[in-house]
Amino acid sequence: IQAAFELDGAAFSQALNAALQALPAGEAAQTLQRLREGDLIGGGGGGAEGERTARLLEQFEPVLQGIAAVARGDGQERAELEALLTDFEGKGFKLVEPVQRIWAGERHEPELVAGLDATDARLVARVLEILSRPTDR
């Protein structure tokens, strides 16, 4: 992981993802969280960018909850969410592909966020956080 920080851009992302994939899933998730909290990668919550991300997460929360509900088997809102995600793609968000993978059962965050910008990666991470919590049902 340390060697990845000596690189820039796509090379950094590829090296970091490769290093995270070599770790057990739980350790990879904890490492990602520590990197975010330390503002070493996007989504940590610090400064103006962190405030922007926090506002965005708040705005997206109902959508993210809906995505998680579909992943848990509640297909009621799936068509509506698919249309919304396609609309988001037109606005620069790249969520269709990782959400489809989550709906197919994938949960390994480093693979799901590979190639995403910090904002999209944080949105995907939030869906996985929701899914990691037990439901009231």
Side-chain angles (χ1 to χ4, degrees):
I1 291 174
Q2 186 175 359
F5 282 91
E6 297 173 10
L7 305 170
D8 291 316
F12 165 76
S13 293
Q14 291 172 345
L16 181 60
N17 285 326
L20 290 168
Q21 288 177 7
L23 297 173
E27 190 176 336
Q30 288 176 343
T31 301
L32 271 173
Q33 186 61 31
R34 285 194 306 268
L35 291 171
R36 284 190 189 108
E37 289 170 355
D39 287 330
L40 295 172
I41 61 172
E49 184 64 24
E51 290 175 22
R52 179 186 164 283
T53 301
R55 281 193 309 274
L56 191 67
L57 279 170
E58 187 177 319
Q59 292 171 340
F60 268 76
E61 186 67 15
V63 174
L64 304 178
Q65 291 285 341
I67 291 167
V70 171
R72 288 184 172 131
D74 180 359
Q76 275 186 305
E77 296 181 47
R78 185 173 180 142
E80 182 180 333
L81 287 166
E82 287 174 335
L84 193 57
L85 291 169
T86 300
D87 183 50
F88 289 159
E89 290 270 328
K91 295 176 180 169
F93 293 96
K94 304 298 179 204
L95 299 173
V96 170
E97 190 252 342
V99 167
Q100 292 291 339
R101 291 167 56 194
I102 289 170
W103 287 344
E106 191 171 339
R107 300 291 186 269
H108 194 239
E109 184 176 345
E111 292 176 12
L112 287 165
V113 302
L116 298 180
D117 68 19
T119 301
D120 292 340
R122 186 63 192 105
L123 292 169
V124 169
R126 176 64 186 134
V127 172
L128 296 175
E129 289 170 14
I130 295 166
L131 288 169
S132 72
R133 296 191 179 121
T135 63
D136 294 334
R137 295 178 192 179

